[in-house]
Amino acid sequence: MKKLLLIALSAGCGAAWAQTPAANPMPDGSRDMYAGLGVQSAPRYAGASGRRLAALPVLQVEWSNGVFVSGMSAGIHLSSAPTVEFGPLLTVLPGRDEAGSGRGMDGVGITEAFNAASEPVEKNLLASRARLDGLDHIGLRVQAGGFANLYLTPRWRLGASLLGGSGRERDGARLELGVQRLAAPFGERHRVSLAAGITVVNRHDNQSYFGVSREEAARSRFAAYDAGGGLRDAHLGARWNWTLHPSWMLTSNLQVQRLLGSANRSPLAERSTNLTVSTAIAYRF
């Protein structure tokens, strides 16, 4: 059986480098593909106290020429060296609306759909869903850049990615640095991966997602706040893959994120530490 590819869940938090599957040499013209569906519980936005439950698509495809699609990321493995991986990377970053959640490609909100169908809607529910009322809407963004991974051992790797294109004016940039333990076996059917990392952003990115302009302060409940660049967060993650059948797998993910620096001091940050959990079933084609 081919090496088990790491499953990346779309809309998952965490380092972009951790979403790049390990290079998997295959016969020319072949591919390896997983697709499935699950559910994710996550904060409405980084630092939010409220949570949202969303349907979560799972998709991972890798072709023999090095091209891969992994969740909301796509890239190309350009290196042929066994201990080094690098190449271009594209990722989709969900938008943020007045409720603090993105729309469209970041998953279908189950709680939102239920509430929309329920009448009458309570006033306190409306208030909780519009926690960012008065702030500018940030649309979905496509980030472009590159990734690089260095294997310390066959199961341990250091990773980095640098991506630009986030924020209101698409002038934000993010650097992700981390370390990952790949697919430690527990019996014949279980694999666990561990990851830890940090996110460094420029001022434009941090101001877009954690700052409050004077214009926004005038029409919202928040005071004006300038968020500078620098270290934005540290995060820890664990992924458990359970092989139910040669073609079926249950994949579950847990991530803890701790806001730091200007992001943690922002009036938008209701909680310094957030937890994201998800589980999905995937079929291998």
Side-chain angles (χ1 to χ4, degrees):
M1 179 181 292
K2 299 173 183 177
K3 181 197 299 184
L4 183 66
L5 294 179
L6 299 176
I7 294 294
L9 302 180
S10 61
C13 303
W17 67 266
Q19 298 179 9
T20 60
N24 185 21
M26 295 180 287
D28 289 344
S30 63
R31 72 173 185 185
D32 207 358
M33 176 177 178
Y34 286 90
L37 185 65
V39 64
Q40 181 188 67
S41 174
R44 289 186 173 275
Y45 60 91
S49 59
R51 303 185 65 80
R52 97 187 262 262
L53 188 66
L56 185 67
V58 176
L59 176 64
Q60 181 156 308
V61 189
E62 186 173 10
W63 287 269
S64 58
N65 60 4
V67 176
F68 64 85
V69 175
S70 186
M72 304 302 285
S73 302
I76 307 174
H77 283 287
L78 296 180
S79 174
S80 59
T83 60
V84 177
E85 299 169 343
F86 62 84
L89 184 67
L90 292 175
T91 69
V92 175
L93 186 65
R96 191 186 71 186
D97 58 19
E98 65 280 356
S101 55
R103 295 174 179 174
M105 298 184 69
D106 65 324
V108 179
I110 295 174
T111 53
E112 284 84 344
F114 176 81
N115 290 331
S118 302
E119 294 292 346
V121 179
E122 297 180 2
K123 292 182 179 180
N124 61 349
L125 175 61
L126 286 174
S128 66
R129 292 187 61 197
R131 301 193 70 87
L132 302 182
D133 188 33
L135 300 189
D136 292 340
H137 173 75
I138 304 174
L140 180 147
R141 297 290 181 254
V142 176
Q143 300 179 101
F147 71 93
N149 300 321
L150 173 64
Y151 283 80
L152 304 176
T153 73
R155 294 298 181 185
W156 285 92
R157 72 177 182 181
L158 301 176
S161 69
L162 179 61
L163 296 166
S166 60
R168 292 186 182 88
E169 304 301 326
R170 297 180 173 84
D171 51 2
R174 300 184 176 189
L175 173 66
E176 305 272 4
L177 302 171
V179 60
Q180 187 177 31
R181 172 61 166 93
L182 302 176
F186 287 88
E188 296 182 357
R189 295 175 176 265
H190 304 277
R191 298 290 185 273
V192 175
S193 299
L194 304 174
I198 59 173
T199 306
V200 182
V201 299
N202 69 353
R203 184 181 64 82
H204 299 294
D205 183 286
N206 233 14
Q207 181 63 20
S208 293
Y209 298 98
F210 291 96
V212 181
S213 69
R214 291 180 176 83
E215 292 78 12
E216 290 174 318
R219 61 176 185 264
S220 73
R221 62 188 179 92
F222 301 104
Y225 178 74
D226 292 326
L231 191 59
R232 190 195 73 174
D233 68 70
H235 43 266
L236 298 172
R239 178 175 291 123
W240 168 40
N241 290 339
W242 179 7
T243 303
L244 305 173
H245 179 274
S247 297
W248 288 96
M249 179 172 63
L250 182 70
T251 179
S252 301
N253 190 68
L254 179 150
Q255 185 174 65
V256 178
Q257 180 191 55
R258 174 75 178 185
L259 294 178
L260 302 169
S262 293
N264 188 40
R265 295 189 294 270
S266 169
L268 307 185
E270 300 167 329
R271 294 176 61 94
S272 296
T273 302
N274 283 128
L275 177 68
T276 298
V277 293
S278 61
T279 188
I281 189 167
Y283 180 78
R284 183 178 189 175
F285 293 87

